[in-house]
């Protein structure tokens, strides 16, 4: 939450959000700011009860909240972009999917990332920044441990716990956030990865 709030205050999300006008009886309201980062009472986080097991560690405060969201990207070949006089803002050099037993879904992003790196002919050390989707905070933490990633290179502007995890939107959201981070830090290579509840994961 602290990272997301700091990024929001610095205008880091401005190029990721398209303002939406919502009309009602009271008039029009322009929604141009993500309301989730400010929604949490950080002082209450330590006292929240475990969600799944009596002695568990997952709570409402370190799990992604229920959110609405929409995202869109335009993808095309380099040739198609050239024909249209367009300048790409990112290039996909590798992607991958992987699967484990459903109970191990939280660590599947590491496996998917390895597949994407093989396709790209790259090493993990070639990646400047990572976006690891946080269905739960433990997902990012577990994969950071498995890949030996520094915290300052992962979810730099906050993750899905503070920004939301609208199903069907999150993949595009983390790729967009990753491009923002790369641009802000004059970096060239990033990896976005996301797990699913069935034991699978995808990375790009």
């Amino acid at each position: 939450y602290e990272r997301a709030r700091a990024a929001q205050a610095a205008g880091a999300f401005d190029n990721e959000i398209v303002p939406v006008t919502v009309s009602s009886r009271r008039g029009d309201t322009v929604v141009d700011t993500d309301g989730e980062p400010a929604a949490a009472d950080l002082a209450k986080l330590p006292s929240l009860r475990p969600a799944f097991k009596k002695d568990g560690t997952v709570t409402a405060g370190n799990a992604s909240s229920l959110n609405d969201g929409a995202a869109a990207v335009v993808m095309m070949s380099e040739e198609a972009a050239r024909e249209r006089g367009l300048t790409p803002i990112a290039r996909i050099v590798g992607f991958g999917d992987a699967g484990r037993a459903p109970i191990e879904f939280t660590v599947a992003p590491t496996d998917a990332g390895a597949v994407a790196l093989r396709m790209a002919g790259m090493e993990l050390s070639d990646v400047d920044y990572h976006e690891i989707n946080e269905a739960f905070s433990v997902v990012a933490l577990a994969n950071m441990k498995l890949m030996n990633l520094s915290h300052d290179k992962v979810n730099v502007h906050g993750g899905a716990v503070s920004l939301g995890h609208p199903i069907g939107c999150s993949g595009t959201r983390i790729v967009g956030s990753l491009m923002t981070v790369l641009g802000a830090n004059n970096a060239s290579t990033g990896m976005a990865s996301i797990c699913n509840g069935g034991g699978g994961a995808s990375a790009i």
Side-chain angles (χ1 to χ4, degrees):
Y1 277 97
E2 290 176 351
R3 286 185 174 197
R5 289 176 181 182
Q8 193 171 57
F13 301 129
D14 291 353
N15 70 325
E16 298 181 28
I17 296 176
V18 176
V20 175
T21 301
V22 179
S23 299
S24 69
R25 294 178 188 173
R26 299 179 182 177
D28 292 343
T29 301
V30 177
V31 180
D32 59 4
T33 303
D34 188 340
E36 185 60 32
D41 183 346
L42 302 188
K44 290 184 177 179
L45 294 184
S47 63
L48 295 176
R49 294 180 179 179
F52 301 114
K53 296 196 302 185
K54 195 173 184 179
D55 59 346
T57 58
V58 175
T59 72
N62 60 28
S64 55
S65 56
L66 297 175
N67 303 93
D68 293 322
V73 292
V74 176
M75 288 179 33
M76 64 183 69
S77 67
E78 184 178 0
E79 181 183 17
R82 195 181 303 115
E83 289 173 354
R84 291 163 174 78
L86 301 174
T87 302
I89 58 174
R91 180 168 61 103
I92 298 170
V93 296
F95 56 89
D97 294 301
R100 287 180 172 237
I103 193 68
E104 298 179 323
F105 77 95
T106 55
V107 294
T110 293
D111 301 333
V115 175
L117 288 169
R118 282 197 299 272
M119 175 184 276
M122 302 174 78
E123 301 291 334
L124 188 58
S125 58
D126 295 323
V127 180
D128 299 312
Y129 289 95
H130 292 259
E131 285 286 330
I132 303 174
N133 193 60
E134 297 172 337
F136 309 98
S137 292
V138 69
V139 174
L141 294 172
N143 288 283
M144 284 168 59
K145 184 173 182 179
L146 288 170
M147 292 187 275
N148 193 29
L149 301 178
S150 171
H151 195 192
D152 63 354
K153 300 293 184 181
V154 180
N155 296 353
V156 174
H157 292 162
V161 169
S162 57
L163 297 171
H165 179 17
I167 303 300
C169 168
S170 288
T172 301
R173 201 281 297 167
I174 63 173
V175 170
S177 292
L178 180 60
M179 289 190 292
T180 297
V181 169
L182 292 175
N185 292 279
N186 197 27
S188 64
T189 305
M191 179 187 293
S193 55
I194 189 169
C195 61
N196 67 57
S202 300
I204 188 170

